Amino acid sequence: MDRCVVLVDAGYLLGAAASLLAGEPSRSRITVDHTALIQQLRERAEADTERPLLRIYWFDGAPDRVPQPEHRRLRVMPRVTVRLGALTRSDGRWAQKGVDAAMHAELTELARNRACSDVVLVTGDGDLLPGLMSAKEHGVAVHLWAVQAADGDYNQSEDLVAEADERRVLDRAWIIRAVRAKDTGICAPAPAPRPEIAAILSAPLPEAALAEAARNGTAPTPAAAPGPPAATAPPAPGRNVPTPKDLAGLRAHTPVPGPQHPQSAGAATGATLRWSSDRGWVDRGGPLGEPAETASLPTLAQLTSAEQRWADREEDITTVGGDPFEVGQVFARRWIERLPETVHMQKLATLYPRIPHRIDGELLRYAARFGLLAHKDDQIDEHDRYAIRAGFWREIDVRAAVEHVGAHPGPPAPTGTPDQPADRLADRLAD
């Protein structure tokens, strides 16, 4: 058949592109426009082979072979087929398993069945040499494409280069049309010093607090209340930042505010709230209970019709990139747009920084669709959880600010006003 097929080793293509543009082969250092990249591959293949395209096969690895956001976007594109191998972690590094074998099997099967006259291979692994030789024996012309090497040397097996019928190099000018290096600098102004954040970072972890109590014969005390500017000094280098679980454990040793401990009311609702949703700090069976305004807030599932659910899924596949901050924003945008009345958004805004547990759980389950679960224990990474919630609150702030301006036109409130959305936004970004 006078058609061409493109077989792409995504690990090689994107890893080499990252080395070229960002100086290291980590794919997390680059942003890829997959639609543009696929279009470029198709146009280049048809021009080089002078044959119409039959199909592009995209070979990549994924934890437990579960499609990641980019794979879901790719596999719904026309003339694109995604084949996934396993992605395993060893010695702190991720490695693909089964991708080369899948490429070999596909290459030999296409050649044996005479499904195409030309095959374009975008790979550098010498393990594919037997498949390349088999395809040639079946009368298929093999075109080998390389990504321009960052050091000007080969980044392909020399045996592959020697056996290929044609060889092309995808240079930097070609790559940057669809791939760019991420800006690793700070994307937002540095937050102002926050004494309460310093208190969180300097608070003893539960184990340390218990050990101190055992030595002194006293119960652990909560983090100190915000003090003068001198209290904003950062923690000692190398100190671990307490997680919500750690802080919840520390709070377990804090007296519950009440008539017997009126002085502890501020401390009990201080630092811990900055990092967690209401689970972990609200004693559901105790005197605090769950606030009535929290229970009255509807979840996104309750606000979403079947038609909207289908449209959401389509948007998730085709346009949502899967960045944790972006995921939080998308979830909040949908929740706000479907609210029957804005009073719910106003109630939620007053609960900051605590996202009600029902909504927070739904938010994290939604984020799990985008491959944000850690492979080892099926838990979302702590840093990603912070980013997801930060994106959620950013969108709430933006919408609340719009509602505030629309309802109360005029000059903005003074910067010291607690209810000013911009001030609370800076606080939340600092968290």
Side-chain angles (χ1 to χ4, degrees):
M1 299 291 289
D2 291 338
R3 298 178 295 190
C4 70
V5 171
V6 181
L7 274 63
V8 180
D9 179 349
Y12 166 77
L13 173 60
L14 301 182
S19 294
L20 180 64
L21 302 181
E24 60 180 86
S26 173
R27 289 162 61 172
S28 64
R29 295 293 304 278
I30 57 174
T31 299
V32 184
D33 183 343
H34 291 90
T35 302
L37 181 59
I38 291 299
Q39 184 62 30
Q40 287 179 217
L41 289 170
R42 177 171 186 167
E43 292 173 355
R44 183 70 176 264
E46 291 181 336
D48 280 8
T49 64
E50 299 181 349
R51 301 285 187 272
L53 178 74
L54 171 62
R55 190 173 297 114
I56 295 176
Y57 289 90
W58 186 272
F59 295 87
D60 203 359
D64 296 328
R65 291 185 167 85
V66 176
Q68 302 300 291
E70 64 185 85
H71 304 140
R72 292 199 294 271
R73 289 195 296 273
L74 284 164
R75 65 185 184 181
V76 297
M77 294 181 185
R79 301 297 181 106
V80 177
T81 296
V82 176
R83 297 279 189 262
L84 294 179
L87 193 62
T88 60
R89 192 172 182 85
S90 177
D91 297 329
R93 301 183 62 183
W94 291 98
Q96 295 182 161
K97 299 294 183 182
V99 172
D100 296 333
M103 289 188 70
H104 178 278
E106 199 71 55
L107 177 58
T108 54
E109 193 70 14
L110 289 167
R112 185 181 299 113
N113 292 327
R114 301 187 181 278
C116 58
S117 60
D118 295 74
V119 169
V120 175
L121 293 178
V122 187
T123 186
D125 199 326
D127 291 345
L128 206 60
L129 181 61
L132 185 154
M133 298 174 66
S134 175
K136 291 175 62 177
E137 291 171 359
H138 284 87
V140 174
V142 179
H143 305 251
L144 184 64
W145 289 0
V147 176
Q148 178 182 340
D151 56 4
D153 200 356
Y154 281 110
N155 56 10
Q156 286 181 311
S157 163
E158 292 190 24
D159 291 333
L160 278 182
V161 174
E163 282 292 332
D165 296 306
E166 302 282 350
R167 184 172 185 262
R168 297 286 184 273
V169 176
L170 306 177
D171 59 16
R172 178 187 290 268
W174 190 92
I175 293 294
I176 62 176
R177 290 163 58 190
V179 183
R180 64 177 179 84
K182 288 183 178 178
D183 182 7
T184 56
I186 299 176
C187 59
R194 296 290 304 279
E196 61 270 35
I197 298 302
I200 290 176
L201 298 179
S202 62
L205 298 182
E207 294 80 2
L210 291 174
E212 184 68 19
R215 287 194 298 270
N216 300 335
T218 59
T221 58
T232 62
R239 182 181 181 84
N240 292 328
V241 177
T243 66
K245 183 177 179 180
D246 295 328
L247 293 169
L250 182 61
R251 184 186 178 279
H253 302 284
T254 304
V256 176
Q260 294 79 13
H261 305 281
Q263 71 281 3
S264 65
T269 57
T272 303
L273 304 190
R274 293 294 173 184
W275 295 107
S276 63
S277 63
D278 57 359
R279 168 176 276 188
W281 77 271
V282 169
D283 183 3
R284 296 182 181 276
L288 294 179
E290 183 176 8
E293 62 270 20
T294 297
S296 67
L297 292 175
T299 63
L300 181 60
Q302 294 170 334
L303 299 170
T304 303
S305 65
E307 292 78 9
Q308 288 172 326
R309 190 174 298 110
W310 184 91
D312 289 348
R313 196 65 172 172
E314 186 73 11
E315 181 184 11
D316 292 342
I317 293 173
T318 57
T319 64
V320 180
D323 175 77
F325 191 88
E326 178 193 12
V327 167
Q329 287 183 300
V330 171
F331 182 93
R333 171 176 56 80
R334 292 174 182 170
W335 187 80
I336 294 169
E337 290 176 349
R338 294 166 193 174
L339 286 174
E341 49 189 14
T342 58
V343 66
H344 292 301
M345 183 178 67
Q346 296 166 0
K347 286 182 179 179
L348 179 64
T350 63
L351 296 175
Y352 171 79
R354 177 174 55 87
I355 303 177
H357 175 55
R358 292 178 302 115
I359 296 177
D360 189 56
E362 189 180 38
L363 169 61
L364 297 180
R365 287 193 297 273
Y366 170 67
R369 299 181 188 175
F370 296 90
L372 295 174
L373 290 178
H375 178 58
K376 184 176 181 180
D377 54 5
D378 289 336
Q379 295 293 322
I380 296 179
D381 179 76
E382 195 71 24
H383 181 273
D384 287 344
R385 274 187 277 171
Y386 294 159
I388 291 165
R389 288 163 177 155
F392 178 89
W393 281 117
R394 166 65 72 89
E395 191 68 18
I396 295 293
D397 261 328
V398 170
R399 300 304 180 105
V402 172
E403 292 289 337
H404 179 77
V405 172
H408 306 284
T415 56
T417 302
D419 292 333
Q420 178 67 14
D423 296 334
R424 297 206 332 276
L425 175 58
D427 293 342
R428 291 168 192 173
L429 291 179
D431 292 341

